[in-house]
Structure formats: structure tokens, C-alpha cells
Amino acid sequence: MMIRPASPDDAAAIAALILPEIAAGEAFALPRDMSAAAAVAHWCGPDRQTFVVEAEGRLIGSYYLRANQAGGGDHVANAGYMVDPAARGRGVARTLATDSFDRARAAGFTAMQFNFVVSSNRRAVALWQALGFAIVGRLPGAFRHPTLGAVDALVMFRSL
């Protein structure tokens, strides 16, 4: 696997990766009918650095890294991750996460916070906890899951 900064040439591959996950509506608090252009603009926005991971000549995952807040909170990073369903179970998410921690530290961040982890996304919650994140808040019924109804969202935090 090779992780590198995303380039404008990656837009179509990023859209192909993230649109099905957004449309599924099970893990991201984004409009399920988001257009490809809007999804890529969100994922690769000017307030974040976006990275992709390739294996065997194709994009199998991506993440973005940004400051969680401005001003007095800009020492805490925030990130979003997506892995191609066909590549799950191969350590891609863990590889992306550890790469993001290294890049966040190098950029001067001292901690990382996830503001809205959908509690029913058990694989993600388990991975974040295995990587040292603590659940520091619970937002009851804050996410409308398409099949489960209202589920909690978690705020997760770890020092870098």
C-alpha cells in the first residue's frame, strides 16, 4: 500500500470511493443524495489535507486531516476516513489512521478528536478504541440511521 497526497487527478476515484458510503447513510452525517462534485469538494476542501492509499494500481482508501476547531482549538486534529468495501479486513483503515496520526504530529497537532462517530458503526468504534481513543461524549439519538432509526453519535478523543 502506498499513501500519498490526493491530487486533482484523483477526483473521479475519490468520488467512486466515497459516494456509495455517503449514499448508504450508515456512517457519515452527509446528505445521502450528495452529488459527486459536492462530495469531492467536501472531502478535498481547502481547510484540509487529503490523502489516498493505492494498492495494485487502484485507490482503495482515503482520509482527510484538518484542525478540529479554529483559534484556541487548532492544536486538536480531526479526520475522516473511507475504505473501499472490497479492501476491508486487510488493515487499510488502521494503516490510514496511523499515517494520519504521524502527519498530525508532524503538523503540530497534540491530539485528535472525532466529533460524530456513529455508534452502530461497530468496526470503526472498535478500531478507534484499539488505537487509543476514548469515548468522551455520547449524543443520544443524534444520527438518523436508514434502517436502525435514531442511534447515538460518539465524541472520541486521544492525545497524539
Side-chain angles (χ1 to χ4, degrees):
M1 285 186 276
M2 181 187 80
I3 299 174
R4 62 172 175 76
S7 76
D9 293 339
D10 295 316
I14 290 171
L17 172 72
I18 66 177
L19 280 172
E21 293 298 312
I22 292 169
E26 296 177 349
F28 291 89
L30 295 168
R32 293 177 68 188
D33 61 351
M34 205 172 204
S35 70
V40 171
H42 167 76
W43 200 256
C44 301
D47 65 334
R48 58 199 71 199
Q49 297 175 8
T50 305
F51 300 90
V52 295
V53 60
E54 293 177 319
E56 298 155 9
R58 68 181 193 89
L59 193 143
I60 60 168
S62 181
Y63 77 88
Y64 65 77
L65 180 66
R66 66 183 182 103
N68 191 50
Q69 300 294 328
D74 67 0
H75 62 290
V76 177
N78 176 265
Y81 307 84
M82 291 250 194
V83 174
D84 183 331
R88 290 187 184 147
R90 296 182 8 204
V92 177
R94 182 178 294 270
T95 299
L96 290 174
T98 57
D99 187 77
S100 73
F101 302 160
D102 292 342
R103 291 182 195 266
R105 274 189 220 94
F109 293 109
T110 60
M112 187 170 284
Q113 179 176 319
F114 299 148
N115 302 316
F116 205 89
V117 180
V118 178
S119 63
S120 59
N121 188 352
R122 289 188 169 90
R123 288 178 70 144
V125 173
L127 175 62
W128 303 140
Q129 289 180 312
L131 291 173
F133 282 83
I135 296 170
V136 297
R138 181 175 290 271
L139 309 171
F143 184 76
R144 288 188 311 264
H145 191 281
T147 58
L148 302 175
V151 298
D152 296 352
L154 308 173
V155 179
M156 301 185 79
F157 184 90
R158 72 160 275 179
S159 294
L160 293 172

